[in-house]
């Protein structure tokens, strides 16, 4: 691969042959016999009479055979066309890439813009290749646009194009393009004036509301004009004491409405504060695919697109006017009114005076529902003033000032100040935009045997006799190609697939040139000949791979006139499968299943469970040694699990599809003691050892304490429970059974007996598994006394009424007495010798793992001594074992599930010739639902 400037790539022999070709690229080279050629150039075009390819910063990637086959890579930094006459400040672009390649087979390719060094279009990659146009300098050249807009910008977030030509003489030419985004931003002074226009239209309404308040305002004046009020006031001297307020802040109501507004489909946004209108050109033109996948030479700035913009903009502005009108009317109707007027004395002989109040809103005043009080006395005689008469009088100035005055005027002012300028000025300016700018996407051009693909072409003032600027972005040219020279060695271009199983037998296709009947394919050290090679054309063949060790090998073709270039092929070994965890799940599917092994490939691994295939899209490869999937629905039973990749299929491991358990019968003699310890037999279906536990009320009897005799019968020992009925249910990974009631009756607890220990000596370091045999052991309420330490029920695993296990605690050397304690009392003691460990103890392994997991079988990992055996203990019981690898790492998943809840987990390692290490610190692990 070559990286160079354009100047360094153009050899002297080509200097006289490379001219300019107007809009796009330099013409193909014909001065010498050319097998193949191509060019990638990000920016091309003209500025008046100036060719943009002649600007000082212009560059391209040129590949040619014979000469520089490439791939040639010439990146372009972010820049502008300010150096072009008349285009200063108009065109800006982001960093882009330019690549090209040519082959002795007569094939060639090129790409530019947001593309990789290999020529693949990549709009999200390291080369943004953005383009932005600022048309402000040209607005005045189109009067309708210049009078309506003060700014216009068009931007594309990324552009890319690629062109290819097939091998041979005059091979097929094709191109493709990609565009990210597409935005049009218009700035209108008229639209920017809308907040001021709306504020000016609302101001008279605010003044009318304010004019109703005060002792001389509209409401007070109307009150004094009521005949009975006038009579009382006429008999008194001096002015009444009147407090009249009408509270409404219309600016506070209207201001939130003047923020940015977006059309219901999200394609047009209008901001009254700035007068900017932002348009999603991509979605308006091409829908969900934006500006991609459009026909060749599709114009974007079209009357239909602009009509869609004006329609949405008109709707947004009309909605703004309607919202302002509605908000003002609602605020006026909701304006708070408080009117109090008093004068004279209203009680006593010959008293004369009044006390009048009105509270509510202007709307309530108008509809007669405001709250009022009326007390009027004239010479000791109470005067009558009804609520209706009072509110009718007060409604008069409200109607004249607002309902019939300021509010209708508001509508007129909004129509004249907002909608009329929009219709008369702004929208005609938008309709004239095609006279200002042409934006064409997916431009293709063929000339003199050369094919050019461009992502976008922008032309300023397209109707003018001479455009001040015409630029194409993301250009790729291929050809003219004359094809391979006679008797040249064969050439390989592509191999598909590029990997396969070590067992061989994979059909592989090669493309290139110079293929002939009877030629051989060399793969690694093996020659494939005869019927295993099928030449279908001078440019294509297929062959069958032989068996080979895993790894990368070279592939060449050997013809009578030479050996080709080499392509790479990878032999992939079949995957291995060592663990399936958990080993059982529901027959109705949906369980999360982990598989451990090796050779797992992201996106290329499938799993078969009982003949049902889970494809690569549903298999989640976490590492090459671990994956997970959701089990499919399957009939109940034990099935085989296998993993398949392009390298083949692994060996099998069992997986059990469990039906949802049923509970049909409880078989036990009489009731159970409240102290627990009763052996209960349950019958039903769907029972499996290690995957079935029992619920006694809310208490869990774990699977390790459930004796599954068959798929239809199990036995367990009841835990302690208050007197009365307890619901029994059977639970496995497939679900929960219905319940049967077990009755706890009063009864004395049985004193436990301890008859045997599984070992006579333990280590002073603790952490060793001690198994106790005897009778009367009760799940959930059994403790163990070990020396001077009591190990509580939470850390004692009752395996059956006659057997339990516990991890020893650290203790001093000597003898320690061991006994069992339940509600029935304390057993006799057995003695165990506590000894210091042998001096050469294995080091304690490091240990980590999930503190919370959605899985019933979480994965634990850590580091240890290579070759040592690490055992993980869950709640005192060995849960899984594994061997530490040469990289000092280990990982372990148990063969049975953990119950949902909190567990204490630790690990230790053992090495040949060494005593077991101490346990790691206990890790709390929370297992929850998937």
């Amino acid at each position: 691969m070559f990286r160079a400037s354009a100047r360094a790539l153009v050899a002297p022999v080509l200097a006289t042959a490379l001219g300019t070709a107007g809009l796009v690229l330099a013409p193909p080279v014909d001065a010498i016999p050319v097998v193949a050629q191509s060019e990638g150039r990000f920016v091309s075009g003209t500025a008046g009479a100036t060719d943009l390819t002649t600007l000082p910063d212009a560059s391209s990637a040129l590949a040619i055979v014979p000469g520089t086959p490439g791939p040639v890579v010439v990146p372009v930094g972010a820049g502008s066309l300010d150096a072009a006459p008349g285009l200063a400040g108009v065109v800006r672009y982001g960093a882009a890439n330019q690549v090209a390649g040519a082959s002795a087979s007569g094939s060639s390719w090129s790409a530019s813009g947001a593309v990789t060094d290999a020529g693949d279009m990549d709009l999200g990659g390291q080369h943004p290749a953005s383009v932005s146009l600022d048309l402000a300098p040209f607005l005045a050249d189109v009067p309708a646009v210049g009078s309506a807009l003060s700014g216009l910008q068009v931007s594309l977030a990324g552009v890319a194009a690629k062109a290819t030509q097939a091998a041979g003489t005059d091979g097929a030419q094709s191109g493709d393009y990609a565009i990210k985004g597409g935005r049009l931003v218009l700035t209108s002074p008229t639209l920017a004036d809308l907040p001021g226009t709306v504020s000016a239209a609302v101001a008279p309404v605010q003044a009318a509301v304010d004019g109703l308040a005060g002792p001389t305002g509209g409401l007070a004046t109307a009150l004094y004009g009521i005949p009975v009020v006038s009579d009382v006031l006429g008999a008194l001297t001096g002015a009444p004491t009147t407090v009249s307020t009408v509270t409404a802040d219309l600016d506070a109501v209207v201001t939130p409405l003047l923020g940015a507004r977006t059309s219901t489909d999200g394609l047009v946004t209008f901001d009254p504060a700035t007068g900017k209108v932002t348009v999603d050109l991509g979605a308006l033109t091409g829908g969900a695919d934006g500006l991609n996948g459009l026909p060749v030479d599709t114009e974007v700035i079209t009357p239909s697109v602009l009509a869609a913009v004006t329609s949405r903009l008109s709707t947004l502005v009309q909605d703004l006017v309607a919202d302002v009108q509605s908000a003002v009317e609602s605020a006026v109707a909701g304006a708070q009114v408080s009117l109090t007027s008093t004068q004279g004395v209203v009680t006593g002989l010959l008293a004369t005076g009044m006390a009048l109040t009105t509270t509510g809103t202007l709307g309530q005043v108008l509809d007669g529902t405001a709250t009022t009080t009326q007390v009027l006395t004239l010479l000791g005689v109470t005067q009558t003033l009804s609520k209706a008469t009072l509110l009718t009088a007060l409604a008069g100035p409200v109607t004249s000032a607002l309902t019939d005055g300021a509010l209708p005027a508001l509508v007129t002012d909004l129509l004249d100040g907002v909608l009329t300028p929009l219709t008369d000025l702004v929208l005609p300016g938008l309709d004239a935009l095609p006279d200002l700018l042409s934006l064409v996407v997916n431009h293709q051009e063929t000339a003199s045997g050369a094919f050019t693909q461009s992502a976008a072409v922008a032309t300023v003032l397209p109707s003018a006799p001479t455009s001040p600027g015409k630029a194409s972005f993301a250009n790729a040219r291929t050809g003219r190609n004359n094809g391979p020279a006679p008797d040249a060695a064969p050439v390989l271009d592509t191999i598909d697939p590029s990997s396969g199983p070590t067992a061989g037998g994979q059909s592989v296709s090669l493309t290139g040139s110079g293929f002939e009947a009877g030629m051989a394919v060399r793969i690694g050290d093996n020659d494939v000949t005869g019927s295993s090679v099928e030449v279908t054309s001078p440019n294509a063949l297929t062959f069958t791979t032989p068996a080979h060790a895993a790894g990368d090998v070279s592939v060449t073709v050997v013809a009578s006139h030479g050996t080709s270039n080499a392509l790479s092929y990878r032999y992939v070994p079949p995957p291995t499968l060592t663990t399936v965890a958990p080993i059982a799940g529901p027959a109705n599917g949906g369980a999360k299943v982990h598989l451990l092994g090796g050779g797992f490939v992201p996106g290329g691994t499938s799993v078969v469970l009982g003949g049902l295939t889970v494809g690569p899209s549903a298999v989640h490869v976490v590492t090459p040694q671990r994956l997970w999937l959701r089990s499919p629905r399957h009939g109940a039973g034990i099935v085989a699990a296998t993993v398949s990749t392009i390298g083949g299929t692994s060996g099998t491991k069992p997986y059990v599809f469990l039906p949802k358990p049923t509970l049909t019968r409880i078989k036990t003699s009489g009731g159970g003691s409240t102290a627990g310890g009763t052996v209960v037999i349950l019958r039903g279906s769907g029972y499996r050892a290690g995957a079935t536990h029992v619920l006694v009320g809310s208490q869990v009897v774990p699977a390790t304490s459930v004796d599954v005799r068959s798929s239809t019968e199990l036995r367990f020992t009841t835990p302690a429970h208050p007197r009365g009925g307890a619901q029994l249910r059977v639970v496995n990974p497939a679900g929960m059974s219905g319940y049967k009631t077990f009755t706890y009756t009063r009864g004395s607890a049985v004193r436990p007996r301890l008859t045997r220990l599984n070992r006579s000596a333990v280590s002073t370091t603790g952490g060793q598994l001690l198994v106790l045999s005897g009778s009367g052991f009760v799940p959930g309420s059994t403790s163990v006394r070990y020396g001077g330490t009591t190990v509580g029920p939470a850390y004692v695993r009752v395996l059956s009424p006659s057997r339990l296990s516990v991890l020893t605690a650290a203790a001093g050397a000597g003898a320690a007495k061991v006994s069992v304690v339940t509600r029935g009392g304390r057993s006799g003691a057995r003695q165990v010798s506590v000894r210091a460990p042998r001096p050469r103890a294995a080091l304690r392994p490091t240990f980590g793992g999930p503190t919370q997991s959605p899985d019933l079988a979480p994965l634990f990992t850590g580091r240890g001594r290579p070759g040592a055996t690490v055992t993980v203990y869950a709640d005192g019981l060995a849960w899984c074992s594994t061997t530490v690898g040469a990289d000092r790492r280990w990982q372990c998943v148990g063969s049975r599930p953990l119950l949902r809840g909190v567990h204490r987990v630790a690990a230790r390692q053992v090495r040949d010739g060494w005593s077991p290490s101490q346990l790691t610190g206990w890790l709390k692990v929370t297992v929850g639902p998937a």
Side-chain angles (χ1 to χ4, degrees):
M1 179 178 292
F2 299 87
R3 291 183 179 270
S5 66
R7 192 167 300 163
L9 293 173
V10 182
V13 71
L14 303 177
T16 59
L18 291 177
T20 60
L23 173 65
V24 185
L25 299 173
V29 178
D30 286 324
I32 58 175
V34 174
V35 172
Q37 58 184 313
S38 63
E39 183 180 18
R41 183 185 291 273
F42 183 54
V43 181
S44 183
T46 59
T50 301
D51 187 343
L52 298 181
T53 65
T54 64
L55 295 179
D57 293 336
S59 67
S60 70
L62 177 65
I64 187 168
V65 173
T68 307
V72 179
V73 180
V74 183
V76 178
S80 69
L81 294 183
D82 290 353
L87 295 184
V90 175
V91 179
R92 295 283 185 273
Y93 52 83
N97 205 13
Q98 304 171 135
V99 294
S103 168
S105 68
S107 66
S108 63
W109 60 269
S110 64
S112 72
V115 298
T116 66
D117 290 353
D120 297 321
M121 296 187 294
D122 183 11
L123 290 176
Q126 69 181 92
H127 305 287
S130 58
V131 176
S132 63
L133 308 175
D134 187 344
L135 281 301
F138 304 103
L139 297 180
D141 292 313
V142 182
V145 178
S147 60
L149 304 178
S150 61
L152 186 149
Q153 295 86 34
V154 176
S155 62
L156 305 174
V159 293
K162 181 174 183 177
T164 60
Q165 181 165 348
T169 303
D170 295 325
Q173 297 170 322
S174 62
D176 196 7
Y177 78 104
I179 296 178
K180 180 179 180 181
R183 187 173 69 169
L184 172 67
V185 179
L186 314 166
T187 304
S188 166
T190 301
L191 296 178
D193 289 341
L194 288 188
T197 301
V198 171
S199 180
V202 172
V205 183
Q206 182 71 62
V209 173
D210 295 342
L212 296 174
T216 60
L219 294 181
T221 301
L223 176 67
Y224 303 153
I226 299 173
V228 65
V229 175
S230 179
D231 291 344
V232 171
L233 293 177
L236 298 169
T237 61
T241 300
T242 301
V243 178
S244 174
T245 60
V246 181
T247 305
D249 186 352
L250 300 186
D251 281 341
V253 172
V254 171
T255 299
L257 302 177
L258 300 177
R261 292 169 169 258
T262 302
S263 60
T264 55
D265 56 10
L267 303 185
V268 176
T269 298
F270 162 49
D271 187 354
T274 60
K276 285 189 176 181
V277 178
T278 303
V279 180
D280 186 341
L281 274 179
L284 273 179
T285 303
D289 293 331
L291 297 177
N292 297 294
L294 297 177
V296 173
D297 291 331
T298 295
E299 174 63 60
V300 176
I301 310 298
T302 64
S304 62
V305 170
L306 296 174
V309 175
T310 57
S311 173
R312 288 165 173 80
L313 178 59
S314 298
T315 299
L316 292 175
V317 176
Q318 291 169 7
D319 289 346
L320 171 62
V321 170
D323 290 346
V324 169
Q325 178 185 349
S326 175
V328 170
E329 290 176 348
S330 297
V332 168
Q336 292 295 316
V337 175
S338 176
L339 174 61
T340 302
S341 184
T342 60
Q343 176 71 331
V345 180
V346 297
T347 60
L349 184 65
L350 301 179
T352 297
M354 69 177 188
L356 304 176
T357 65
T358 301
T359 57
T361 64
L362 287 180
Q364 291 172 332
V365 170
L366 290 175
D367 63 20
T369 61
T371 300
T372 66
T373 60
Q374 308 91 243
V375 180
L376 296 99
T377 304
L378 183 59
L379 298 176
V381 178
T382 300
Q383 304 299 300
T384 301
L385 175 59
S386 68
K387 175 179 180 178
T389 300
L390 173 59
L391 293 181
T392 298
L394 297 180
V398 177
T399 300
S400 60
L402 292 169
T403 308
D404 297 336
L407 290 177
L410 170 68
V411 176
T412 301
D413 292 343
L414 290 175
L415 292 176
D416 292 342
V418 177
L419 294 183
T420 299
L422 174 71
T423 303
D424 296 346
L425 187 62
V426 178
L427 299 187
L430 297 184
D431 293 340
L433 286 184
D435 294 331
L436 177 67
L437 176 68
S438 167
L439 181 62
V440 173
V441 300
N442 191 19
H443 174 66
Q444 294 183 356
E445 180 179 321
T446 302
S448 302
F451 169 80
T452 301
Q453 170 75 60
S454 302
V457 181
T459 306
V460 180
L461 302 178
S463 301
T466 300
S467 170
K470 184 175 185 179
S472 61
F473 303 97
N475 307 289
R477 174 182 64 78
T478 181
R480 184 177 67 203
N481 297 350
N482 295 314
D487 298 327
V491 176
L492 287 182
D493 288 337
T494 66
I495 182 171
D496 183 41
S498 59
S499 60
T502 54
Q506 174 81 48
S507 178
V508 178
S509 298
L510 300 177
T511 64
S513 61
F515 297 172
E516 60 185 23
M519 68 189 313
V521 175
R522 180 164 296 160
I523 178 168
D525 297 329
N526 298 316
D527 286 336
V528 182
T529 59
S531 61
S532 295
V533 179
E534 181 182 2
V535 178
T536 57
S537 77
N539 306 109
L541 65 80
T542 60
F543 73 97
T544 303
T545 61
H548 194 282
D552 294 333
V553 297
S554 295
V555 176
T556 59
V557 292
V558 181
S560 60
H561 47 279
T563 300
S564 73
N565 57 303
L567 298 179
S568 180
Y569 180 84
R570 174 168 293 179
Y571 276 100
V572 180
T576 59
L577 177 60
T578 59
T579 304
V580 178
I583 61 171
N588 58 2
K592 195 172 187 180
V593 183
H594 292 271
L595 279 68
L596 301 182
F600 303 161
V601 180
T605 302
S606 60
V607 174
V608 175
L609 287 175
L612 300 178
T613 300
V614 181
S617 63
V619 174
H620 305 273
V621 176
V622 181
T623 69
Q625 295 80 36
R626 184 187 183 200
L627 63 81
W628 67 270
L629 66 145
R630 297 285 179 181
S631 63
R633 184 185 296 270
H634 193 284
I638 301 175
V639 301
T642 59
V643 180
S644 297
T645 66
I646 194 170
T649 300
S650 71
T652 64
K653 289 291 181 181
Y655 182 77
V656 182
F657 282 100
L658 293 175
K660 183 177 179 180
T662 65
L663 176 56
T664 58
R665 183 182 177 192
I666 299 176
K667 182 180 180 182
T668 187
S669 56
S673 170
T674 56
T678 302
V679 177
V680 177
I681 301 174
L682 302 183
R683 290 182 175 171
S685 63
Y687 304 163
R688 182 170 180 83
T692 304
H693 60 272
V694 177
L695 286 180
V696 180
S698 60
Q699 299 184 70
V700 178
V701 179
T704 53
S705 297
V706 175
D707 181 11
V708 176
R709 298 296 182 91
S710 69
S711 63
T712 60
E713 181 177 304
L714 63 80
R715 301 184 181 193
F716 72 98
T717 302
T718 59
H721 191 280
R723 181 180 181 184
Q727 293 182 354
L728 302 187
R729 300 177 188 269
V730 180
V731 182
N732 70 15
M736 180 186 298
S737 73
Y739 72 88
K740 294 290 183 181
T741 300
F742 177 80
T743 303
Y744 279 87
T745 61
R746 290 189 181 275
S748 59
V750 178
R751 180 180 178 184
R753 294 177 63 246
L754 177 58
T755 59
R756 182 176 177 271
L757 303 177
N758 70 318
R759 60 176 68 207
S760 60
V762 296
S763 172
T764 57
T765 58
Q768 292 178 290
L769 188 67
L770 194 61
V771 180
L772 287 66
S773 300
S775 63
F777 302 162
V778 180
S781 61
T782 299
S783 303
V784 173
R785 290 281 296 173
Y786 170 75
T789 302
T790 298
V791 181
Y795 304 108
V796 174
R797 182 60 60 89
V798 176
L799 306 175
S800 71
S802 59
R803 193 164 178 262
L804 63 80
S805 66
V806 66
L807 287 179
T808 61
K817 291 184 178 181
V818 180
S819 59
V820 179
V821 181
T822 67
R823 295 183 182 181
R826 182 172 178 176
S827 73
R830 290 279 172 172
Q831 187 166 291
V832 64
S833 177
V834 182
R835 301 172 183 172
R838 289 192 297 270
R840 296 184 66 197
L843 295 176
R844 181 184 301 182
T846 64
F847 178 59
T851 56
Q852 185 169 358
S853 171
D855 307 325
L856 296 180
L859 174 72
F860 294 98
T861 61
R863 298 177 66 88
R865 185 178 296 275
T869 298
V870 172
T871 301
V872 176
Y873 297 88
D875 300 325
L877 289 181
W879 192 61
C880 64
S881 294
T882 188
T883 300
V884 180
D887 60 354
R888 307 186 67 88
R889 299 180 183 274
W890 59 269
Q891 62 179 12
C892 188
V893 174
S895 60
R896 56 183 173 79
L898 291 177
L899 299 179
R900 292 177 174 86
V902 179
H903 300 268
R904 295 173 74 250
V905 182
R908 65 149 38 101
Q909 69 178 348
V910 177
R911 183 181 174 206
D912 290 343
W914 298 62
S915 64
S917 74
Q918 295 182 6
L919 281 172
T920 62
W922 290 98
L923 181 71
K924 286 189 176 181
V925 176
T926 301
V927 175

